[in-house]
Amino acid sequence: MRCERIRGLLDDYVDGLLSEAACHEVEAHLGECEACRNEDAELRALLDGAASLDRELPPPRDLWPDIEARIAAERKESVSRRPVSPRWRFRMSLAAAAVAIIAVAAVVLHRQKPSSVIPTAPGTLSVADYDRENDAMIVAARSYVAATAELTAAWEGRRDEFSPETQTVIDENLRIIDDSLRELNEAIRQDPSRFELRRLLVAAHQKKVGTLQMLLRVDVPPSRADWRDRKLKPYSEEEKS
Amino acid sequence: MSAFETLYRANVNKVYGLSYRLAGDALLAEELTQDVFVRAWQKLATFRGDSAFSSWLYPLAINVILGERRSRQRRNARVTTAADLARVAGPVESRPALRLDLEQAIAKLPAGARCIFLLHDVEGHGHDEIARITGVTPGTSKAQLHRARRLLREALRS
């Protein structure tokens, strides 16, 4: 009877879900009952086996071409069926304008002389500080590359919500930031010892991530009122609002 | 290479691995993997960049796989072949026989118990998280896990 009760608790025991008192009860019993100890060992062996299974498995063929084709079909369908209200288009224009400001700021920032951007006077950093900062900059830049890839994919996923004109403006501004990143990377390649360049690179990455995040957050869909207005007002009046 | 393709390539093995184990069928796993990435594309606008892409993708993938698996199972029941199981366990010479036995035993579990076992003991999710992802209660998750472990231990003993 006691063995049955203890075995009923073993799952929670190995998962660490038992109270302290129940834990002591199980441990005391395991200390004196070989059969239950074997049960416990068998359960733990199963969990070890499960944990050792590969969580990743490559598909037998490249699935991307099929996925890409399905996405292309989705995009086509989504463009043809989704009406874009003029008010939404206006908001997108504002977003694009904000992007332009951020992009220009990024370019100006990286073209400034390093001494005007980095407030630290020469000689105030020890070699150790310098190395530590330089390493941190490298890590930060790598993190931003990963974040940018993810956000860029998200932006691609919703670009059809924007008017073609707005898409062009946004793409152009993202291109400006990318140019800045390329220039900075090239400068760092030529002079890897200058960590000011890495700071600027991180700043440029920040701008790109911030820009993409902003694009993803400007997600005020046409409200019910917008659609009600659309039905009540002639298109020409709505354009004026 | 587009950014989304980059994300696909970074995550496809994990999504396919999960699809394969949950579906127990190589062809179905391919279809499910495609479904997951197409759904991810459709919902990309809800990814805000405040977490890793994989953290956002994973619950979505489980939802798609479980939802599709349920509806497809009703349409056509397929039998998992020994070749399928050998594939998921990898080349026999590179893995202990126990691992193949375990893969086979997992594949034979009832669908609900298999799903919970995979999510909890292979993927490492807690009961609350499993409940949130799958829609079952944490109590049901615990009960299914208990059942799965019991069945697996019995299968591996024989």
Side-chain angles (χ1 to χ4, degrees), chain A residues 44-206:
Chain A
R44 288 178 189 277
L46 171 66
L47 299 190
D48 287 346
S52 72
L53 293 177
D54 288 336
R55 292 168 70 188
E56 298 196 359
L57 179 69
R61 65 185 180 90
D62 186 5
L63 304 177
W64 176 249
D66 289 348
I67 292 170
E68 193 175 30
R70 285 177 60 182
I71 288 172
E74 287 274 332
R75 285 183 68 167
K76 211 170 171 181
E77 195 185 332
S78 128
V79 169
S80 63
R81 71 165 180 249
R82 184 185 295 138
V84 179
S85 82
R87 195 170 298 182
W88 174 234
R89 208 176 291 142
F90 172 69
R91 287 188 175 121
M92 290 303 96
S93 302
L94 286 181
V99 173
I101 293 164
I102 290 168
V104 169
V107 174
V108 169
L109 175 68
H110 104 261
R111 286 187 179 154
Q112 279 177 323
K113 287 182 182 175
S115 58
S116 66
V117 180
I118 312 297
T120 313
T124 55
L125 284 179
S126 68
V127 172
D129 286 341
Y130 181 96
D131 287 345
R132 204 162 36 241
E133 282 216 28
N134 207 18
D135 289 347
M137 291 299 126
I138 292 170
V139 171
R142 281 181 189 154
S143 308
Y144 275 115
V145 168
T148 301
E150 294 177 356
L151 292 168
T152 302
W155 152 241
E156 283 175 1
R158 68 174 306 188
R159 66 159 47 239
D160 292 334
E161 296 171 28
F162 294 61
S163 73
E165 299 79 17
T166 307
Q167 287 182 38
T168 305
V169 174
I170 293 169
D171 286 341
E172 174 61 16
N173 286 290
L174 289 174
R175 189 189 60 72
I176 292 171
I177 301 179
D178 286 339
D179 287 346
S180 307
L181 290 168
R182 254 191 305 279
E183 286 177 28
L184 281 164
N185 275 315
E186 176 57 23
I188 290 168
R189 195 183 62 76
Q190 289 175 10
D191 187 1
S193 65
R194 289 180 60 195
F195 82 79
E196 311 95 87
L197 290 175
R198 295 196 191 280
R199 276 188 175 174
L200 292 170
L201 183 71
V202 169
H205 276 301
Q206 281 172 337

Side-chain angles (χ1 to χ4, degrees), chain B residues 5-119:
Chain B
E5 185 182 352
T6 305
L7 295 178
Y8 160 79
R9 301 217 175 273
N11 293 284
V12 64
N13 290 357
K14 191 162 165 49
V15 172
Y16 180 80
L18 187 66
S19 300
Y20 188 89
R21 286 206 175 94
L22 282 172
D25 176 278
L27 281 177
L28 185 50
E30 282 186 27
E31 285 180 46
L32 289 170
T33 303
Q34 289 186 33
D35 291 345
V36 166
F37 283 97
V38 171
R39 187 75 62 84
W41 171 265
Q42 291 166 337
K43 291 187 167 288
L44 261 178
T46 64
F47 172 61
R48 298 301 185 88
D50 44 13
S51 61
F53 181 76
S54 55
S55 308
W56 175 82
L57 176 70
Y58 200 61
L60 182 146
I62 292 170
N63 265 317
V64 170
I65 294 165
L66 294 181
E68 290 297 303
R69 189 174 57 87
R70 277 192 287 269
S71 61
R72 285 175 205 235
Q73 270 177 345
R74 281 195 289 272
R75 288 201 299 272
N76 53 345
R78 283 182 60 112
V79 176
T80 304
T81 66
D84 281 346
L85 291 167
R87 217 189 90 61
V88 78
V92 173
E93 64 272 19
S94 69
R95 291 160 188 263
L98 177 64
R99 199 175 288 190
L100 182 59
D101 289 345
L102 180 55
E103 291 280 12
Q104 287 174 329
I106 292 171
K108 286 178 185 163
L109 285 174
R114 183 170 70 233
C115 172
I116 302 297
F117 178 79
L118 288 171
L119 294 180

Side-chain angles (χ1 to χ4, degrees), chain B residues 97-147:
Chain B
L98 177 64
R99 199 175 288 190
L100 182 59
D101 289 345
L102 180 55
E103 291 280 12
Q104 287 174 329
I106 292 171
K108 286 178 185 163
L109 285 174
R114 183 170 70 233
C115 172
I116 302 297
F117 178 79
L118 288 171
L119 294 180
H120 191 281
D121 286 349
V122 178
E123 302 291 334
H125 295 286
H127 290 296
D128 287 342
E129 198 176 0
I130 291 171
R132 188 172 48 75
I133 294 170
T134 63
V136 302
T137 64
T140 302
S141 175
K142 277 180 80 167
Q144 289 281 27
L145 180 66
H146 181 70
R147 182 180 178 217

